[in-house]
Amino acid sequence: MNESSDRDFNDVVVVLDIGEANVKALIGATVPEPSVTLSMFAVGAFGMFGLRRRRQSRTSN
């Protein structure tokens, strides 16, 4: 049955079908306002700086 196979599993193909309705919903998805995106990045940056500050204070003790 597998006589012509190279007998490795590097060539496995996976197909994911999310459905036509879901694709249409993704294509028609609204893009958030630039101010919302900027505020999300700002919250993430403040969180990263706070985490960095907390880690630095732990290592100095």
Side-chain angles (χ1 to χ4, degrees):
M1 182 172 159
N2 289 337
E3 294 174 11
S4 63
S5 173
D6 56 1
R7 299 190 191 273
D8 67 0
F9 298 98
N10 297 338
D11 48 1
V12 174
V13 177
V14 177
V15 177
L16 175 65
D17 184 12
I18 62 172
E20 186 177 341
N22 291 332
V23 170
K24 287 180 181 178
L26 288 174
I27 291 173
T30 59
V31 177
E33 291 287 328
S35 61
V36 173
T37 305
L38 183 62
S39 65
M40 290 173 69
F41 280 126
V43 167
F46 282 121
M48 293 298 287
F49 286 127
L51 183 63
R52 180 177 166 207
R53 186 179 216 182
R54 185 186 306 179
R55 285 184 179 174
Q56 285 178 349
S57 68
R58 282 185 185 173
T59 58
S60 65
N61 289 336

